[in-house]
Amino acid sequence: MSKTKLTINNNGSVKIEGDFEIVDRNGNTYGLQGREVLSICRCGLSKNKPFCDGAHNGHFEHEAIAFDLPPKKV
Protein backbone atom coordinates (compact mmCIF):
# COMPACT_ATOMS: atom_id res chain seq x y z
CA MET A 1 0.00 0.00 0.00
CA SER A 2 1.38 3.39 -0.92
CA LYS A 3 1.58 6.25 1.54
CA THR A 4 -1.20 8.77 1.82
CA LYS A 5 0.07 12.23 0.90
CA LEU A 6 -1.26 15.45 2.43
CA THR A 7 -0.29 18.71 0.73
CA ILE A 8 -0.80 21.98 2.61
CA ASN A 9 -1.70 24.47 -0.12
CA ASN A 10 -0.80 28.16 0.06
CA ASN A 11 -3.86 30.23 1.00
CA GLY A 12 -6.13 27.20 0.84
CA SER A 13 -6.99 23.64 1.60
CA VAL A 14 -5.23 20.43 2.57
CA LYS A 15 -5.11 18.12 -0.45
CA ILE A 16 -5.25 14.39 0.35
CA GLU A 17 -4.05 11.81 -2.18
CA GLY A 18 -3.79 8.05 -1.99
CA ASP A 19 -5.57 5.29 -0.14
CA PHE A 20 -7.46 6.85 2.78
CA GLU A 21 -10.76 7.02 4.58
CA ILE A 22 -12.27 9.92 6.49
CA VAL A 23 -14.37 9.33 9.59
CA ASP A 24 -16.31 11.63 11.90
CA ARG A 25 -15.70 11.77 15.64
CA ASN A 26 -18.05 8.82 16.15
CA GLY A 27 -16.14 6.64 13.69
CA ASN A 28 -18.74 6.92 10.91
CA THR A 29 -17.16 6.87 7.46
CA TYR A 30 -17.80 9.64 4.92
CA GLY A 31 -18.93 8.25 1.55
CA LEU A 32 -16.17 9.44 -0.78
CA GLN A 33 -17.57 7.66 -3.86
CA GLY A 34 -14.21 6.20 -4.89
CA ARG A 35 -12.26 9.46 -4.76
CA GLU A 36 -8.50 9.08 -4.33
CA VAL A 37 -7.87 12.86 -4.26
CA LEU A 38 -9.84 15.52 -2.40
CA SER A 39 -9.32 18.69 -0.38
CA ILE A 40 -10.16 19.45 3.24
CA CYS A 41 -11.17 22.98 4.29
CA ARG A 42 -8.72 24.93 6.48
CA CYS A 43 -10.40 28.34 6.40
CA GLY A 44 -13.78 27.44 7.90
CA LEU A 45 -15.71 29.17 5.11
CA SER A 46 -16.74 26.10 3.09
CA LYS A 47 -20.44 25.29 2.94
CA ASN A 48 -19.42 21.64 2.43
CA LYS A 49 -17.21 21.17 5.53
CA PRO A 50 -15.03 19.28 6.13
CA PHE A 51 -14.44 19.40 2.37
CA CYS A 52 -13.15 22.44 0.51
CA ASP A 53 -15.50 24.24 -1.90
CA GLY A 54 -13.13 27.08 -2.83
CA ALA A 55 -14.78 29.66 -0.52
CA HIS A 56 -11.32 30.58 0.82
CA ASN A 57 -10.37 32.40 -2.39
CA GLY A 58 -9.36 35.92 -1.34
CA HIS A 59 -10.34 35.32 2.31
CA PHE A 60 -7.58 33.14 3.76
CA GLU A 61 -3.84 33.70 3.90
CA HIS A 62 -1.21 31.18 4.85
CA GLU A 63 2.08 30.56 3.12
CA ALA A 64 2.71 26.83 3.40
CA ILE A 65 6.40 26.34 4.12
CA ALA A 66 7.51 23.06 5.69
CA PHE A 67 9.40 23.16 9.00
CA ASP A 68 10.53 20.75 11.69
CA LEU A 69 8.48 20.34 14.84
CA PRO A 70 10.31 20.34 18.17
CA PRO A 71 11.26 16.90 19.52
CA LYS A 72 8.38 14.78 20.73
CA LYS A 73 7.90 14.89 24.50
CA VAL A 74 8.40 11.57 26.22
Side-chain angles (χ1 to χ4, degrees):
M1 180 186 301
S2 64
K3 287 185 182 182
T4 299
K5 179 180 175 182
L6 280 72
T7 303
I8 311 304
N9 292 312
N10 283 344
N11 306 320
S13 63
V14 175
K15 180 180 174 184
I16 305 172
E17 301 174 79
D19 183 25
F20 59 88
E21 70 176 358
I22 300 176
V23 299
D24 67 15
R25 68 182 195 156
N26 297 315
N28 300 309
T29 304
Y30 285 88
L32 304 178
Q33 309 306 317
R35 287 175 175 83
E36 296 178 356
V37 177
L38 58 76
S39 293
I40 298 294
C41 176
R42 286 198 305 147
C43 72
L45 298 173
S46 176
K47 289 183 176 41
N48 195 31
K49 287 188 235 25
F51 307 104
C52 177
D53 67 2
H56 61 270
N57 288 332
H59 301 285
F60 182 71
E61 292 184 24
H62 176 259
E63 188 174 357
I65 305 283
F67 60 90
D68 293 333
L69 291 174
K72 192 165 106 174
K73 295 181 182 179
V74 221

